[in-house]
Amino acid sequence: MNVLQRTVGAVRVVTIDRPQVRNAVDRPTADALLAAVEAADADAEVRVIVLTGAGGTFCAGADLHALEDPDRRNRLERSDLGPMGPTRRRPGKPVVAAIEGHAVAGGLELALWCDLRIAAEDAVLGVFCRRFGVPLIDGGTARLPRVVGMGRALDLVLTGRAVAADEALAMGLVTRVVAPGSALEAAVALASELAALPQRTLSADLASTRAAFDRALPEALLAEHDGGMAAIEDGGMAAVARFRAGAGRHGDPAGT
């Protein structure tokens, strides 16, 4: 199984379990991730969801090695099904990300989809897909400015640079920073605190706060899809080939 689930009190922990590829997400994993989130959201005994990754890494993004396999390639149609799974859906319950290692490219978009983000001191976040010419298509351009502001969002989106946990905390990209190896424990503790609060008002305020800036997020996500798909169609497979050849790794940009 590529996605694991366990329940701690009123908290459902959902874990991406593909450490051999740094928890990169292919379509079966995306489908399993969406199913796990929706099951947790529908479970009356669950009040908060924690999302994390196995093996010391949150998520390295979409699995680009799966794009040529029709059974494994991520969904790219214009719909409410995001390539990474739940990114175009909105559960009614709070979601907390527990980030160890890298949360980059689509992995950063998954983290942004969460309401709160707990990161280890040695975690690294960033729009790494900028380096090899793959666009953000899982909510990054819609959510990142809402979280950190337009100026900082453009800095990250346009440069693709790595962001260390301390800087991420300073800009509001993550909620709290904890010792390496303790992000999940801290996220579950925070989620348990949320689960102990009065839920009706918490849920109402959560929904209102999510919609505070702009109630057109679904339209923004689909507009992002249109722009991203245009980029994929204009040389997208060449970008995948550059990635497979090693471009964009270790901080080196890969050109167009």
Side-chain angles (χ1 to χ4, degrees):
M1 295 180 63
N2 294 335
V3 174
L4 306 177
Q5 303 177 61
R6 65 186 177 94
T7 303
V8 181
V11 177
R12 178 70 49 81
V13 178
V14 177
T15 304
I16 306 169
D17 187 29
R18 301 186 77 212
Q20 71 278 11
V21 290
R22 299 174 65 201
N23 297 322
V25 173
D26 59 5
R27 188 171 70 195
T29 306
D31 290 347
L33 189 55
L34 175 59
V37 168
E38 291 192 332
D41 201 37
D43 190 334
E45 300 300 316
V46 174
R47 291 188 166 187
V48 184
I49 302 166
V50 170
L51 178 62
T52 193
T57 295
F58 183 74
C59 176
D63 187 349
L64 300 183
H65 295 285
L67 287 184
E68 293 181 350
D69 183 341
D71 295 324
R72 295 181 55 234
R73 70 166 62 105
N74 299 76
R75 298 181 187 278
L76 296 177
E77 65 269 19
R78 190 181 196 269
S79 75
D80 66 346
L81 296 174
M84 298 291 288
T87 46
R88 296 180 187 171
R89 301 283 181 89
R90 181 175 283 178
K93 298 170 183 178
V95 185
V96 182
I99 302 170
E100 298 279 354
H102 284 72
V104 297
L108 176 62
E109 293 181 290
L110 270 179
L112 288 167
W113 169 79
C114 299
D115 298 295
L116 302 172
R117 287 158 290 280
I118 307 297
E121 291 172 351
D122 55 356
V124 177
L125 302 89
V127 186
F128 281 19
C129 50
R130 176 62 57 244
R131 301 173 181 178
F132 45 88
V134 172
L136 294 169
I137 200 170
D138 277 274
T141 65
R143 292 190 175 100
L144 188 57
R146 288 167 164 82
V147 173
V148 302
M150 181 63 74
R152 289 189 173 101
L154 286 172
D155 174 24
L156 303 189
V157 168
L158 295 180
T159 67
R161 67 181 180 87
V163 180
D166 57 349
E167 183 184 4
L169 179 64
M171 70 171 65
L173 182 54
V174 301
T175 311
R176 301 179 187 178
V177 172
V178 297
S182 65
L184 179 57
E185 179 183 1
V188 170
L190 175 57
S192 298
E193 292 177 13
L194 300 182
L197 296 170
Q199 292 299 294
R200 186 169 182 178
T201 52
L202 183 147
S203 297
D205 287 347
L206 172 65
S208 296
T209 304
R210 284 172 172 170
F213 291 101
D214 188 350
R215 293 186 179 274
L217 181 57
E219 290 80 8
L221 292 174
L222 292 178
E224 176 191 67
H225 174 274
D226 292 343
M229 284 304 300
I232 288 174
E233 292 166 2
D234 182 16
M237 293 312 296
V240 172
R242 290 196 297 274
F243 170 81
R244 288 177 171 170
R249 299 177 185 176
H250 310 298
D252 295 323
T256 58

